[in-house]
Amino acid sequence: MVDTGSEKGFQLRRQGDLLYMQAPLLAGCDGVIHAFSTRRGGCSKGDMAALNTAFHTDDDTGNVFENRRRFLEPLGFHPNEVIAAIQVHGSRVRRVEAVDRGRGAAPGNFLGEGDALITDLPGLPLTGYAADCLLLFIVDPGVPAVALAHAGRQGTLENMAGAVVAALNSHFNADPARMLVVLSPGICGRCYTVERDLAGDFREDGWCKKPYLWEGTPGEFHLDLAAINRRQLLRAGIRPGNLAGCRWCSSCSPALFYSYRRDRGKTGRMMGLIALQGGGDGAAGGGGA
Ligand SMILES: [Zn+2]
């Protein structure tokens, strides 16, 4: 399986009981805070165990808030500051402003629908949620500007990767040739199978052979979302050396990751976060724990 640059992609980090991930490609980028959570180190029970970060699950809201606190505090953020959109498996990109801080911090208080967030303002924690889908972490250190995009099957079919790169360019004059991009863990092509109809949508779009799409047992098609997203990013102008994949599969690693497919929908979500450092006012989202 092609996975270029995974050594610069997400790696496990430990802080006490908390296991999370950071990518060397972005860690070397001054003034950018980023991380991807694992399921380890949280307080949720049962199918949601342990560090579920999303409200749109069967989890208790208080648990989600506590899990977010455990993940965010070492990064310098409070759960009240979280910014998130309602992910609808599309390719809509939303520009985030200072007034949006905290829109995503509680059930019923979201930015609205969208699957990618972009900003050039410091101190705004852009977040995305996934359990098999990919999160794309993007930085243009020259602006600077950051983006976090959610790309599952439908978002990938709609070229979310290309859409978010184009939005960074049109809003902030960001340059694809300068952008650094890291893909989160997601479901691998061996684990992810789709039926003929869905495979047909990808085939019509030109994704008709390995490493993107291939037939396993007759009628069962394997889809590699990461391979397609990498190709879309290169087409959008990202340089190969500035693009890092990930060697981890959400479905293959039940001890570390939630997987919607593997767990038949009864599962939690990992959180991805990216922000530009600064902004000054710290816990502006309401102060204190
Ligand atoms: Zn897998």
Side-chain angles (χ1 to χ4, degrees):
M1 192 138 317
V2 187
D3 195 1
T4 49
S6 65
E7 74 284 352
K8 291 186 293 184
F10 278 105
Q11 317 285 334
L12 285 170
R13 304 264 186 272
R14 179 181 286 281
Q15 182 146 9
D17 291 335
L18 185 72
L19 264 185
Y20 65 104
M21 306 187 92
Q22 285 180 325
L25 185 65
L26 300 186
C29 205
D30 270 355
V32 174
I33 301 166
H34 81 286
F36 184 76
S37 68
T38 71
R39 67 189 301 173
R40 303 278 291 278
C43 67
S44 298
K45 306 290 184 216
D47 295 330
M48 301 296 139
L51 200 128
N52 171 41
T53 61
F55 295 118
H56 62 288
T57 56
D58 288 335
D59 208 348
D60 174 75
T61 298
N63 287 347
V64 173
F65 201 76
E66 169 61 14
N67 292 337
R68 288 180 169 196
R69 188 190 66 75
R70 293 183 192 186
F71 175 59
L72 294 168
E73 271 189 355
L75 302 170
F77 289 106
H78 187 276
N80 286 347
E81 298 178 280
V82 165
I83 299 167
I86 299 168
Q87 298 175 174
V88 291
H89 298 279
S91 55
R92 178 169 176 181
V93 181
R94 301 188 75 104
R95 179 175 179 168
V96 173
E97 307 285 356
V99 294
D100 296 322
R101 190 195 306 273
R103 297 182 69 194
N109 178 21
F110 284 84
L111 273 176
E113 293 185 352
D115 285 85
L117 306 178
I118 61 173
T119 195
D120 63 345
L121 301 174
L124 300 178
L126 311 184
T127 68
Y129 303 83
D132 289 340
C133 292
L134 291 172
L135 297 181
L136 316 180
F137 294 67
I138 308 179
V139 178
D140 180 344
V143 176
V146 292
L148 190 66
H150 165 256
R153 185 178 70 216
Q154 193 56 34
T156 298
L157 198 55
E158 293 182 24
N159 190 17
M160 165 52 89
V164 68
V165 169
L168 282 166
N169 176 258
S170 65
H171 284 275
F172 309 127
N173 204 26
D175 181 358
R178 221 166 35 197
M179 292 181 197
L180 308 174
V181 186
V182 175
L183 306 187
S184 75
I187 192 164
C188 78
R190 273 169 302 160
C191 289
Y192 193 38
T193 56
V194 298
E195 290 173 3
R196 187 176 298 276
D197 283 359
L198 281 166
D201 293 341
F202 280 86
R203 283 181 146 171
E204 274 176 30
D205 211 28
W207 309 106
C208 43
K209 61 178 196 299
K210 272 194 171 183
Y212 312 113
L213 176 74
W214 66 97
E215 191 166 10
T217 54
E220 193 181 66
F221 293 84
H222 293 260
L223 190 58
D224 191 323
L225 295 175
I228 297 174
N229 274 269
R230 277 196 298 272
R231 185 79 200 119
Q232 290 171 329
L233 287 161
L234 294 172
R235 279 181 186 165
I238 307 301
R239 292 187 166 154
N242 288 347
L243 174 56
C246 184
R247 68 188 181 87
W248 299 93
C249 165
S250 47
S251 176
C252 289
S253 309
L256 287 174
F257 303 117
Y258 301 109
S259 167
Y260 194 89
R261 174 63 72 95
R262 181 195 66 219
D263 303 335
R264 299 172 190 278
K266 291 171 68 93
T267 197
R269 300 289 186 284
M270 285 79 72
M271 177 193 284
L273 175 147
I274 194 163
L276 292 167
Q277 214 158 25
D281 46 359

